[in-house]
Amino acid sequence: MRMIKTKKYTSVFVIGLGLPLFIAASLLLFSGCKRTLKDSEIIGPQYKPAEAGFAITAYLSASTASADFGNSSMYFTAAFNQQVSWTLTITGEESGAVKTITGLSYSVDASNSTWDGSSSNVYFFKAGEDVNAVLTILGYSGSQSIVVNILSRKKYNTTYSNGIKYTVIDDFERPVGLASTYRWLDGPFKDLGDGAGTVAGITTAYKVDGNASYGFSGTDVNSNSWLAGVNTDPINSMTLGFATSDPAKYYVNLFVYGSGKANSSIQVKAYEVDDWSQVAATYDQTQNDGYVHDIIIDWTGWKLVSVRYADFKRSSDPVAGGNGNGIKEPHQVVGFALGLNSLPTFGKEVEAYVDFLVVTEGGPFKP
Amino acid sequence: MNKACIFISAIFLTIGSSLKAQTDFSLRGLGRVIVSHDKLGGNLVKGDSATPIKGMGGYILFDLQPTLKVNDNIRANAILRVKQQFGSFFGDGTAFEFRQFQVMGKIGKYVDYHIGDINVEMTPYTVFAFPEMYHQFESEIFQIRRSVVNYENFVIGNAWRLQGVQGFAKLPVLKGIDVNAFGVRTNPTNDVLTPDRILAGTRAVLKATDMIHVGANYVGMLDIPIESANVNYTNHVITGEAKFLLDLDAVNLTVKGETGMSDYEFVKVADNQTVGYNDFFYDVNAGAVLKPVKLKLFAGYRDVGPQFSSPSAQTRRINIGMNPLLFPQVMANSVDRGQVLFDRFTQEGIYNRGVNPVLFPFNPAYNNIFPYGDATPNRKGITTGIASDTSLKVISAELRADLFSEIIGEGIKDLRKFLGVRGGFVLDISKLAGISSRSISLNAGLRYEKTTRDGFAPIDFTSTLIDGGLVVEVFKRFDILGGVKMLNAKGNEYLAVRDEFNLLSSFPPVTIDLTQVVFSGGARIRFANNSYFTVNYNVAPNKTAASPSTNYDIRQLFFNYTLIIP
């Protein structure tokens, strides 16, 4: 920084000019600033550790030894001689699902530990498995645990939760080899140009829910991006219709597993019927809309992907859904398809697994 | 490999010879050979036959930087890297890559531009890569080692190395206006769910007189919307600054300050969830250089709001989640070893090169008062100190004290209080003793931090970092070097876990009682400026009081041959 010598009267002048300028500039800027937490005393969730003399006055217990989440929820109880921050960590012994419940209170009871069978991580709890619930208290070295058996898993299909309606399309839990039934995706349909190396089908290798998922793998030998797919069969087999007509409130949700192979991509396609006179098995893709969404899998492991119907794009192929009325009408969706693509780069070896395809209306899927 | 080398060399030679007539063509470069022999010992590996405890590694690299200057308006350079891991034979495993691309030049009379790999720095609250730890007075033997890590990670002062475009202008208004503007992409789109994320900023400083400088800064990090994106992130930071300089006969006065605000919003489209918040900061400092005694006194006050968000000023250099490549697994080769003090200036792979919108986790043992630099949110307090004037040749010293507290309690009403003391010196003994033929210098540094909190969740946490070092030139251009670095941390703390909205989500308690030390001794031959060969032996014991069975030490013999073609 260059400095200059100056005489005293100049210094006084400069101080007189410079300091007010500095203060004025600061005040000018400062006056426009806001602090969202201006009146808050605490930032983040409140907590309180156990102090000296802490004791558990009622040990951890469960409202039931067999949780029937298909019909009801359950809760845990415990009591302390101080108000403390506590954590209940419920771990499925087979599924890998973990549910975490935290609180700041004198007791654990139905008001703060009710559990509906949902999970805090990506995995679903399984019917028939034991779960281990461990209670830990902040600042206290001891812990308590209890085992509960899950009689039935939480029910999602055709249920409402917080204003969101759930419609399960496919959980891929049917026994291998069993013919598809109502609404289940069927197939696979493979690109013969990719040779015999393409694999598509129910697999128990990876799953977030139950015992199985749907797996795809192969190499896009003919470099046309598409390798294999499954769809509701017949395509318009879902003739139930959905309530919402707003594409922004209609979500297609699915769990997608990435194995780390770049360019692996799952395409979700929704089929609308614009002519309801077409009964089952007579669906004509050249006269109805099809909307697609490509999920580029740039992660490894499972991930929940929720896509608004508003973000689907119209099929560009006039003989495969590109020739309907061109209006996104989720209440007209009658079928779905899933496909494995090599995207954005064609011709690659790709792999993906999909589990628990569910449509939600009013918001995205909350496990 | 040999064919590739010959081919690439031929290209450069051809370009060089053919363009010499009408343009300037120059070559710079850096060659480096690193070899280390490593050994892991201590309780942690006793009886463990599955964990590797010895190893030898290193690499040979050459960075060739051809620069083509067409005229004053345009020039370009690239760095071609040829790298071979130690132990490869006849070029097997040799990697070729372009490490840098830059095009730069001048537009008109006033504007300079850079395109490609650019170094971006503004103010400590806008764009600023703060040091990972206090190491201002660490020994030269560690500085040499750190320089390797810095070079590999583009740690260039306080600038971020990013990819984009940058312009500089000096406008002839009053005493001059310096303008700097840049735009970079920090995250590429996948054209479906992830939008492009850009970081753009501008800085203008008006020198109204030689004594008064005022400036304004803006930096924004935001997503470029695409129809199907599932997130939309925006963060704006606007600041103003002023500096007042007065040079009198006996004293040189400086008063400067910066104040500004941040505006954050993150939309998760699929979840229909939007989180937004604003906050501000201000920072005022005054300094006086007392010319007769060649000392500088300084003091300042700053207040950085709990939700002040400035990713390009708050992103940490070191990602504590990255596991070192040196003995990465322990305990039957199944558990990550994790980082210790020795890794922080020797492991190239634990450094973060990108700007992150969420504050990285940090280890309070290494830095608890300002883990995110000057822009650490939720801090207010004073800094005061004394330093030697830069005109002093024999000694360079500084002592600085920080007395800070939180502004709002984290998860609890009680506030953390922080006391920090840091300082050190470098003493040029040869100048002091009047020895002109040899160079001898001694250095020492200290950083002490104490964090306390009263109330329901008391905190009492102390960490001390000590540096010491000696350099003795025993023969012309032949130095003996020694250094020690010791960290001791003890007490309890609560970590801060943040969610994707950068909000605090939980505070897991931790109890820390550790001692991590690095002793290093060796020799250096200096061939030319910045070209040298060093050999040193490092012993790095790491102790944890709570679990002595996990104590271990790393012993490393390290060779470093570095040749720089300026």
Side-chain angles (χ1 to χ4, degrees), chain B residues 497-514:
Chain B
V497 178
R498 293 178 181 270
D499 62 17
E500 60 195 316
F501 299 104
N502 210 17
L503 296 174
L504 292 162
S505 59
S506 65
F507 308 97
V510 290
T511 301
I512 297 172
D513 188 353
L514 61 81

Side-chain angles (χ1 to χ4, degrees), chain B residues 322-562:
Chain B
M322 297 294 287
N323 199 39
L325 290 176
L326 178 66
F327 300 121
Q329 304 281 311
V330 291
M331 295 184 177
N333 208 23
S334 63
V335 176
D336 286 352
R337 179 171 65 83
Q339 298 171 14
V340 292
L341 185 65
F342 182 62
D343 300 309
R344 291 175 74 91
F345 62 95
T346 60
Q347 287 295 297
E348 298 167 10
I350 64 172
Y351 277 64
N352 159 58
R353 296 187 192 176
V355 175
N356 202 45
V358 177
L359 294 175
F360 275 129
F362 65 92
N363 183 339
Y366 296 116
N367 195 338
N368 204 36
I369 303 183
F370 305 118
Y372 305 105
D374 286 356
T376 300
N378 204 17
R379 296 285 188 275
K380 66 176 179 183
I382 58 170
T383 295
T384 184
I386 184 169
S388 60
D389 182 28
T390 51
S391 62
L392 280 173
K393 304 294 183 192
V394 173
I395 187 168
S396 170
E398 179 189 79
L399 183 63
R400 174 186 293 260
D402 299 301
L403 198 58
F404 276 71
S405 75
E406 290 178 330
I407 298 166
I408 298 177
E410 292 184 348
I412 201 160
K413 287 182 182 176
D414 305 294
L415 303 178
R416 283 184 178 87
K417 290 173 183 163
F418 305 99
L419 168 65
V421 178
R422 50 196 159 133
F425 67 85
V426 179
L427 179 64
D428 191 329
I429 295 172
S430 51
K431 282 194 177 132
L432 188 68
I435 306 167
S436 59
S437 58
R438 295 286 183 270
S439 171
I440 305 169
S441 67
L442 177 73
N443 69 277
L446 168 78
R447 191 230 56 194
Y448 169 83
E449 289 187 347
K450 185 166 183 64
T451 305
T452 55
R453 185 170 67 185
D454 298 327
F456 288 126
I459 292 171
D460 187 359
F461 183 74
T462 305
S463 73
T464 308
L465 176 69
I466 296 171
D467 271 303
L470 181 69
V471 180
V472 180
E473 186 180 12
V474 289
F475 304 111
K476 192 71 180 170
R477 292 183 175 272
F478 180 84
D479 308 314
I480 297 293
L481 304 102
V484 61
K485 192 184 271 284
M486 184 172 81
L487 174 77
N488 183 274
K490 188 173 185 178
N492 75 301
E493 243 295 6
Y494 290 82
L495 303 180
V497 178
R498 293 178 181 270
D499 62 17
E500 60 195 316
F501 299 104
N502 210 17
L503 296 174
L504 292 162
S505 59
S506 65
F507 308 97
V510 290
T511 301
I512 297 172
D513 188 353
L514 61 81
T515 302
Q516 299 178 352
V517 188
V518 184
F519 299 104
S520 188
R524 172 179 61 184
I525 302 169
R526 285 175 281 137
F527 305 115
N529 284 343
N530 300 320
S531 294
Y532 53 83
F533 169 73
T534 68
V535 55
N536 59 67
Y537 190 70
N538 302 278
V539 180
N542 303 280
K543 294 180 180 173
T544 306
S547 54
S549 62
T550 62
N551 292 349
Y552 68 94
D553 57 76
I554 297 170
R555 291 166 190 267
Q556 184 182 69
L557 181 63
F558 185 76
F559 300 89
N560 172 4
Y561 178 88
T562 295

Side-chain angles (χ1 to χ4, degrees), chain A residues 209-336:
Chain A
D209 170 52
N211 298 309
S213 66
Y214 204 93
F216 300 95
S217 62
T219 301
D220 180 26
V221 175
N222 59 5
S223 290
N224 67 349
S225 85
W226 185 72
L227 285 93
V230 286
N231 56 255
T232 44
D233 188 19
I235 283 176
N236 59 342
S237 59
M238 289 169 41
T239 51
L240 71 170
F242 293 96
T244 184
S245 57
D246 183 353
K249 292 182 177 172
Y250 183 96
Y251 291 77
V252 179
N253 313 268
L254 64 164
F255 289 82
V256 181
Y257 183 92
S259 61
K261 290 192 170 76
N263 299 295
S264 299
S265 170
I266 288 289
Q267 185 177 81
V268 184
K269 187 168 185 178
Y271 296 95
E272 287 185 7
V273 62
D274 296 318
D275 178 4
W276 279 95
S277 64
Q278 294 183 0
V279 294
T282 65
Y283 186 80
D284 186 351
Q285 290 193 62
T286 66
Q287 295 176 22
N288 295 293
D289 278 334
Y291 291 93
V292 297
H293 188 89
D294 291 304
I295 300 166
I296 310 291
I297 306 167
D298 54 5
W299 62 87
T300 54
W302 285 105
K303 184 178 177 180
L304 171 61
V305 179
S306 297
V307 188
R308 290 187 311 167
Y309 198 54
D311 296 328
F312 277 61
K313 291 176 182 171
R314 192 180 184 200
S315 171
S316 56
D317 187 347
V319 298
N323 201 31
N325 63 11
I327 302 168
K328 273 184 191 166
E329 299 164 301
H331 57 292
Q332 306 280 58
V333 171
V334 292
F336 279 99

Side-chain angles (χ1 to χ4, degrees), chain A residues 1-4 11 14 22 29-30 33-37 41-43 45-47 49 138 251 294 311 364, chain B residues 192 210 227 240 242-244 247-248 270 277-280 303 305 307 409-411 413 453 494 504-505 507 509:
Chain A
M1 192 60 64
R2 192 161 67 94
M3 306 287 185
I4 64 162
S11 308
V14 169
F22 172 64
L29 281 158
F30 194 72
C33 300
K34 293 183 288 183
R35 179 164 286 171
T36 305
L37 289 174
E41 291 183 314
I42 290 175
I43 184 170
Q46 190 174 4
Y47 66 94
L138 185 64
Y251 291 77
D294 291 304
D311 296 328
Chain B
V192 185
D210 286 322
E227 189 185 350
K243 184 188 283 186
F244 169 69
D247 192 359
L248 303 174
Y277 42 80
N278 304 87
D279 216 323
F280 63 84
D303 176 312
Q307 290 186 310
E410 292 184 348
K413 287 182 182 176
R453 185 170 67 185
Y494 290 82
L504 292 162
S505 59
F507 308 97

Side-chain angles (χ1 to χ4, degrees), chain A residues 51-201:
Chain A
E51 296 174 76
F54 171 80
I56 298 173
T57 54
Y59 293 128
L60 179 68
S61 68
S63 63
T64 177
S66 288
D68 185 7
F69 292 122
N71 295 301
S72 61
S73 56
M74 65 165 294
Y75 60 91
F76 297 88
T77 57
F80 324 113
N81 66 345
Q82 296 173 7
Q83 187 187 37
V84 288
S85 293
W86 50 265
T87 302
L88 255 175
T89 307
I90 306 161
T91 306
E93 293 188 351
E94 296 174 34
S95 61
V98 176
K99 174 70 176 180
T100 305
I101 303 171
T102 59
L104 171 60
S105 61
Y106 282 94
S107 65
V108 178
D109 52 42
S111 70
N112 55 26
S113 74
T114 296
W115 180 36
D116 63 357
S118 60
S119 166
S120 300
N121 67 4
V122 76
Y123 298 103
F124 290 56
F125 286 96
K126 256 173 84 171
E129 74 169 334
D130 283 343
V131 298
N132 190 29
V134 179
L135 175 67
T136 54
I137 291 101
L138 185 64
Y140 180 69
S141 57
S143 65
Q144 297 217 322
S145 64
I146 193 167
V147 174
V148 175
N149 181 261
I150 297 182
L151 194 63
S152 70
R153 199 203 63 179
K154 182 182 177 184
K155 184 183 176 190
Y156 292 98
N157 191 31
T158 66
T159 62
Y160 286 85
S161 177
N162 297 321
I164 299 172
K165 183 188 174 189
Y166 297 76
T167 304
V168 178
I169 305 302
D170 201 336
D171 59 7
F172 305 104
E173 287 306 307
R174 55 191 173 277
V176 177
L178 190 70
S180 69
T181 58
Y182 176 68
R183 265 191 274 142
W184 280 351
L185 305 187
D186 197 21
F189 305 100
K190 297 180 183 176
D191 184 349
L192 298 177
D194 292 330
T198 301
V199 176

